[in-house]
Amino acid sequence: LLGSCAVSFCLGSIISLGLFPAWQQRNCWRPASQAYLPHVELQQPLQPGPQSVKKQPRPSGDPLWSRVRIFCWVVTSPENHASKAYHVKSTWLSRCNGYTFMSTVSDPSLPSVALDVPEGRANLWKKTTAALSYLRRSGLLAKYDFFLKADDDTYVVIDNLRSLLADADPDEPLYSGRRFRPFVRQGYMSGGAGYVLSRAAVRKFVDLGLPSRDSACSGQFISEDVNLGSCMNMLGVHVLNSLDSLGRERFHPFQPEHHLPPGGIPPGNWLRRYNYYPLREGPECCSDTSISFHYVTPRQMYVLDFLIYSLKRPSREPHCSNRNSSMAPNSTYSTADRSDETVKLRWH
């Protein structure tokens, strides 16, 4: 494991069965130990279905469900449909009001949209512009308020995203996520950590940004997220601050196990230079109403989903405070799965 985590809720250690191969390939750092469980690729045979956009039924008792309508679009590729996209769909994605996957092959069982662009990292900007154009012309802006972009290795706590957006006006051009500093005057949002656009921002980008001859919207940068931020800045799309009331980040570009332990982000790592705000380490790195983590493996998707939504702990009711009394079988438990409030993530 990378370092040690001396907190009672040691999320990083729990989910570190498979460390992120993408970061190893990019030589950012390597973990101190290679003593992992043997890798088992999760593959799921997919059954055909009829839709390219999935609308979810309203869960009972959630007052924000119909007031903050979030459509989630997840960027994937044909080779990841079974190995990654299916597991996103099986975990957090079902909590969006509606969703689809943006691919280059139609797969009704996910469902996915076949965008007419080449695959590959060099074409991510084309994929993003095609995806946002699809959202605009498909009539989804009339049905949903906010549009979340995520990768197929991003885990999102949708309940906390709804809480962040509860007081935001979807008819104002807004843009939120993990804010980075360089290249763009007002900053730009990390693509990997996921970003969210109001419907007014999507409309403004497609109707005004894409037809514009302004270099800010021409895709002049290598990275898709910088290009989008550049265009948002030129169009006057405002940044919605995603920090919590204590100044902690809610969107995270790495896995929890790299943000939470002190020293988990190496001194020379690019995040220290790019982060818009001074980077915090240890438990103060991350809000207890965090929204997203990136480079999450399919295994970790299920672990995070269980820990956040299913793991119970004894309630702190007065009748449970007697140290000498044993817990009765019918003692009250509390769980994070509360549809009427923000999901609290316990780091301490």
Side-chain angles (χ1 to χ4, degrees):
L1 296 178
L2 190 141
S4 61
C5 181
V7 291
S8 58
F9 183 53
C10 189
L11 183 58
S13 296
I14 292 172
I15 67 171
S16 59
L17 297 179
L19 293 179
F20 49 115
W23 275 106
Q24 292 180 4
Q25 291 168 9
R26 292 169 66 177
N27 296 318
C28 289
W29 74 81
R30 287 184 180 275
S33 169
Q34 298 292 337
Y36 313 130
L37 293 178
H39 176 70
V40 178
E41 189 72 25
L42 293 178
Q43 295 284 348
Q44 171 64 35
L46 300 173
Q47 301 300 320
Q51 298 173 302
S52 60
V53 170
K54 181 72 173 178
K55 182 178 180 180
Q56 290 296 96
R58 175 179 178 172
S60 60
D62 187 350
L64 290 182
W65 175 266
S66 58
R67 187 161 69 85
V68 184
R69 300 170 299 175
I70 299 174
F71 186 87
C72 301
W73 54 285
V74 180
V75 177
T76 190
S77 54
E79 64 268 23
N80 288 347
H81 284 193
S83 62
K84 290 186 177 181
Y86 175 85
H87 305 291
V88 170
K89 177 182 176 180
S90 298
T91 53
W92 65 266
L93 195 63
S94 62
R95 300 181 185 99
C96 305
N97 295 76
Y99 63 82
T100 195
F101 289 85
M102 297 296 182
S103 183
T104 53
V105 171
S106 177
D107 189 339
S109 63
L110 283 175
S112 69
V113 176
L115 301 175
D116 187 20
V117 296
E119 281 291 354
R121 187 173 183 83
N123 297 301
L124 280 179
W125 175 236
K126 292 180 180 178
K127 204 169 194 176
T128 297
T129 59
L132 290 170
S133 297
Y134 172 86
L135 297 176
R136 176 71 172 105
R137 69 172 182 267
S138 63
L140 293 172
L141 271 62
K143 301 176 182 178
Y144 300 96
D145 304 309
F146 298 96
F147 295 82
L148 171 74
K149 178 265 181 186
D151 290 345
D152 56 15
D153 59 353
T154 307
Y155 183 92
V156 183
V157 185
I158 293 295
D159 308 72
N160 289 349
L161 179 59
R162 271 200 192 91
S163 295
L164 173 67
L165 300 172
D167 296 323
D169 184 354
D171 293 315
E172 290 292 325
L174 300 173
Y175 169 50
S176 192
R178 179 62 172 250
R179 196 174 181 183
F180 287 164
R181 179 178 297 279
F183 310 120
V184 180
R185 181 176 57 80
Q186 71 172 3
Y188 68 96
M189 307 304 158
S190 163
Y195 51 75
V196 61
L197 301 170
S198 66
R199 63 176 168 229
V202 175
R203 184 182 294 113
K204 203 167 189 178
F205 174 77
V206 176
D207 295 356
L208 301 178
L210 289 184
S212 170
R213 295 185 178 181
D214 194 297
S215 61
C217 294
S218 65
Q220 60 181 319
F221 296 100
I222 295 175
S223 298
E224 164 266 337
D225 47 9
V226 183
N227 283 321
L228 185 68
S230 172
C231 194
M232 294 290 107
N233 183 73
M234 188 277 289
L235 293 170
V237 175
H238 304 298
V239 170
L240 176 66
N241 187 4
S242 64
L243 299 182
D244 71 6
S245 60
L246 299 178
R248 299 173 300 187
E249 301 277 5
R250 286 190 172 106
F251 292 81
H252 307 291
F254 300 151
Q255 298 171 327
E257 65 200 67
H258 299 293
H259 287 288
L260 287 168
I265 308 297
N269 187 263
W270 62 266
L271 183 60
R272 296 184 179 277
R273 304 189 308 274
Y274 275 52
N275 212 55
Y276 194 86
Y277 305 100
L279 191 67
R280 297 188 185 185
E281 296 186 79
E284 288 303 306
C285 72
C286 310
S287 173
D288 59 1
T289 56
S290 283
I291 291 170
S292 72
F293 291 95
H294 190 211
Y295 296 115
V296 177
T297 67
R299 284 184 178 187
Q300 293 167 348
M301 294 273 178
Y302 293 99
V303 174
L304 281 171
D305 221 55
F306 172 78
L307 292 175
I308 294 170
Y309 287 97
S310 298
L311 187 67
K312 298 179 180 180
R313 58 192 177 92
S315 67
R316 288 175 170 79
E317 298 295 330
H319 67 270
C320 297
S321 61
N322 188 344
R323 292 185 179 181
N324 297 322
S325 63
S326 59
M327 184 172 290
N330 61 350
S331 295
T332 303
Y333 278 78
S334 65
T335 177
D337 192 8
R338 294 288 303 277
S339 60
D340 59 341
E341 61 185 38
T342 300
V343 175
K344 294 284 188 178
L345 308 181
R346 302 296 182 187
W347 310 127
H348 301 282

